[in-house]
Amino acid sequence: MPYLPAGFPDGAWLPDVVVDLGEQFASHSHELSLVGGPVRDLFLGRTSPDLDFTTDATPDQIIAAVSGWADAHWDIGRDFGTIGIRKGDATIEVTTYRAEAYDPASRKPQVQFGDSLAEDLVRRDFTVNAMALRLPSFELVDPHGGVKDLVAQRLRTPSTPEESFSDDPLRMMRAARFASQLGLDVDEGVRDAMTAMASRLEIVSAERVREELVKLICGAHPRAGVDLMVDTGLADVVLPEVPALKRTDDEHRRHKDVYQHSLQVMEQAAELETDDDGPVPGPDFVLRFAALMHDVGKPRTRRFEPGGGVSFRHHDVVGAKLTRKRMQELRFDKDSIKAVTRLVELHMRFYGYGDAGWSDSAVRRYVTDAGDQLERLHRLTRSDVTTRNRKKADRLAHAYDDLEDRISVLAEQEELARIRPHLNGEQIMEILGIPPGPEVGQAYRFLLEHRMEHGPVEPATAEKVLRDWWSAQE
């Protein structure tokens, strides 16, 4: 059953297993406290998806305390003092009081176990996460003013920012993430330390940096998080292509530089996400990150034209390559890399449609090239309009409405999502009397091209088209 401790706002709750676990540890003469994010989220009136506990018990003593009570436990995090526990539907982590520190030349934390809750809380990243509830009494322990900082929407560190970021440089990324997720203003001292120590982030593994970046982009205020990264120099380490945009005028010399334009596109793309039942449930990292990165090819392709204008020809292709390289360095999975880079590469494809219109074959190519990213591409393209010229904005919106209508009509007629050539490989070999080989692939590609240009045809027509093409090859 859900449980809400006294004094907390409605909207958040804790499972009864929290009380039960506290009593279990007390019966073994050990301290136990709910700590960090779950406590912070209680004050925000929301339920945390994670349950994190800290204790004076060692890993072996934790296992002894839960044996016979827990349904299962695992010690994959034993070296860091963490034991995982499953009780019913709840998954729990209990960690021995500790202090972490980074060796300047190492990517891995050196773990030292502590002796008290106070010692454990002072080593945590920020005051809003350095609060604990002693169990089973639910006594609040807040030695660093975390509640006051939450009310003031302020992000500070329990120790000095320099000490905190030396212990774990990834905390600088977390500061940007909390600015995005919780809308907190970063304390001036924290911001100064981030600026001075940004290069120290280089020792942190790409995987850990990536996870913080994803959470930041998917936050409620991603613009604030990205701005903080750029202003403090963290982005120069993590996403150097983004701060480079601040030094690039766009082709129309509008009121916004390319950097501000990209942030606005990201915000507008997020506004077009759907609920869980829609085609692009939010928060959607792929869409948001593609929006942020869609113009990163502009600094590399900027050209000053004779008439005084600026052009960025092929910045979409160059940007896709830069985005792919950056995501690979951050160890993103192949599917995410493919999806984001495809969107960056295609984000300019629509422009010109409103002036000249497209043939049905061009519409088919648009859908086929977008593939399973079509719904995201719709939203990215619409978001890429940030002009204050209302007539121009309306014209582009109406043109894209028309394109989507044509896609819908063709989709009903031709099943665009599954466009295939008129004939398959076996039929090609049978009609032409040829064995498997390169010629079959050439014929297949020719028929696919014909399908794109002319739409579906009857089997007899497809056979004639194939035979005529084959005769021309001889």
Side-chain angles (χ1 to χ4, degrees):
M1 295 291 292
Y3 176 83
L4 177 64
F8 289 92
D10 292 338
W13 57 271
L14 295 170
D16 281 346
V17 69
V18 173
V19 179
D20 294 344
L21 185 64
E23 293 174 345
Q24 186 71 17
F25 271 71
S27 69
H28 285 73
S29 301
H30 291 304
E31 297 178 1
L32 184 74
S33 296
L34 183 69
V35 69
V39 180
R40 177 200 68 220
D41 286 348
L42 281 175
F43 282 101
L44 295 175
R46 66 187 196 184
T47 299
S48 176
D50 303 311
L51 292 175
D52 296 324
F53 300 84
T54 189
T55 180
D56 62 345
T58 65
D60 286 340
Q61 290 171 330
I62 294 172
I63 293 174
V66 301
S67 292
W69 174 84
D71 296 328
H73 65 79
W74 52 95
D75 59 359
I76 191 171
R78 176 189 288 268
D79 291 344
F80 296 93
T82 300
I83 300 298
I85 300 168
R86 181 173 59 80
K87 178 68 173 179
D89 295 332
T91 300
I92 298 164
E93 286 191 350
V94 181
T95 302
T96 305
Y97 296 150
R98 63 182 182 177
E100 285 183 354
Y102 263 76
D103 183 278
S106 174
R107 290 178 179 268
K108 296 182 179 180
Q110 298 173 330
V111 178
Q112 298 176 345
F113 295 152
D115 299 320
S116 69
L117 178 59
E119 184 180 6
D120 183 87
L121 293 179
V122 77
R123 61 150 290 272
R124 292 186 175 264
D125 52 6
F126 302 104
T127 60
V128 296
N129 294 327
M131 300 182 287
L133 291 175
R134 291 189 184 275
L135 299 172
S137 66
F138 283 98
E139 172 195 352
L140 176 65
V141 181
D142 182 20
H144 307 289
V147 173
K148 290 183 179 179
D149 284 341
L150 269 182
V151 172
Q153 293 189 302
R154 177 177 57 209
L155 196 65
R156 296 187 304 116
T157 53
S159 58
T160 68
E162 291 78 10
E163 289 175 324
S164 182
F165 298 155
S166 291
D167 283 348
D168 186 353
L170 187 68
R171 290 173 174 176
M172 293 183 284
M173 278 291 293
R174 286 188 193 140
R177 189 241 292 184
F178 287 128
S180 170
Q181 285 186 328
L182 303 178
L184 301 180
D185 292 325
V186 176
D187 183 76
E188 184 177 354
V190 173
R191 182 184 290 268
D192 290 344
M194 291 170 66
T195 303
M197 302 175 67
S199 62
R200 185 135 165 81
L201 191 61
E202 294 174 352
I203 72 168
V204 182
S205 70
E207 291 82 0
R208 296 183 73 211
V209 171
R210 178 198 65 217
E211 292 307 308
E212 291 297 326
L213 178 63
V214 170
K215 292 175 182 177
L216 183 159
I217 296 297
C218 291
H221 314 280
R223 184 175 195 144
V226 174
D227 254 336
L228 183 59
M229 286 182 60
V230 171
D231 290 346
T232 58
L234 292 181
D236 290 323
V237 178
V238 179
L239 287 176
E241 297 82 6
V242 172
L245 295 173
K246 297 190 76 169
R247 300 180 289 274
T248 307
D249 291 329
D250 72 10
E251 62 266 39
H252 302 297
R253 297 184 180 276
R254 293 177 291 198
H255 62 287
K256 289 179 180 144
D257 61 23
V258 181
Y259 171 70
Q260 293 297 332
H261 164 77
S262 297
L263 293 184
Q264 186 174 347
V265 173
M266 178 177 63
E267 285 185 318
Q268 292 179 172
E271 292 172 358
L272 294 179
E273 293 168 344
T274 65
D275 57 22
D276 290 344
D277 295 328
V280 185
D284 187 86
F285 172 78
V286 168
L287 174 61
R288 296 184 182 197
F289 195 59
L292 177 64
M293 302 292 283
H294 78 283
D295 274 347
V296 295
K298 283 190 170 181
R300 295 278 188 94
T301 59
R302 182 173 60 174
R303 297 291 183 272
F304 295 98
E305 302 297 340
V310 180
S311 67
F312 303 98
R313 292 187 180 89
H314 307 302
H315 75 272
D316 43 358
V317 177
V318 173
K321 291 179 180 178
L322 291 173
T323 301
R324 179 179 293 107
K325 180 180 179 182
R326 181 58 50 200
M327 294 184 73
Q328 288 172 340
E329 291 183 357
L330 289 171
R331 304 292 192 271
F332 276 93
D333 62 278
K334 291 181 179 179
D335 288 343
S336 295
I337 294 173
K338 181 180 178 182
V340 173
T341 54
R342 177 61 60 86
L343 291 170
V344 173
E345 184 178 6
L346 294 179
H347 83 272
M348 291 294 294
R349 180 73 67 87
F350 161 74
Y351 291 95
Y353 176 86
D355 296 327
W358 283 355
S359 64
D360 285 351
S361 65
V363 176
R364 293 186 193 101
R365 290 180 190 281
Y366 188 77
V367 173
T368 302
D369 289 348
D372 58 2
Q373 299 307 312
L374 181 62
E375 290 292 343
R376 287 184 173 123
L377 183 58
H378 287 334
R379 287 156 178 78
L380 175 59
T381 303
R382 289 185 181 277
S383 301
D384 196 19
V385 179
T386 60
T387 179
R388 288 184 175 179
N389 185 323
R390 179 46 51 193
K391 284 187 177 181
K392 181 178 180 181
D394 288 344
R395 177 174 58 81
L396 290 171
H398 290 320
Y400 208 84
D401 288 343
D402 182 66
L403 175 58
E404 286 202 62
D405 288 342
R406 290 185 61 193
I407 290 173
S408 296
V409 171
L410 284 174
E412 290 179 6
Q413 296 173 349
E414 306 179 17
E415 294 185 305
L416 289 184
R418 296 193 297 274
I419 284 185
R420 297 290 185 272
H422 308 302
L423 304 169
N424 61 33
E426 291 184 358
Q427 291 170 317
I428 290 171
M429 288 187 288
E430 181 180 351
I431 291 170
L432 299 182
I434 59 175
E439 292 88 355
V440 179
Q442 293 171 9
Y444 187 93
R445 288 188 291 274
F446 163 73
L447 290 175
L448 179 59
E449 183 75 13
H450 189 277
R451 171 73 170 78
M452 289 287 188
E453 290 291 338
H454 303 284
V457 298
E458 295 296 326
T461 303
E463 181 175 343
K464 182 179 185 305
V465 168
L466 175 61
R467 290 188 184 278
D468 289 345
W469 172 81
W470 181 249
S471 297
Q473 307 306 306
E474 299 176 350

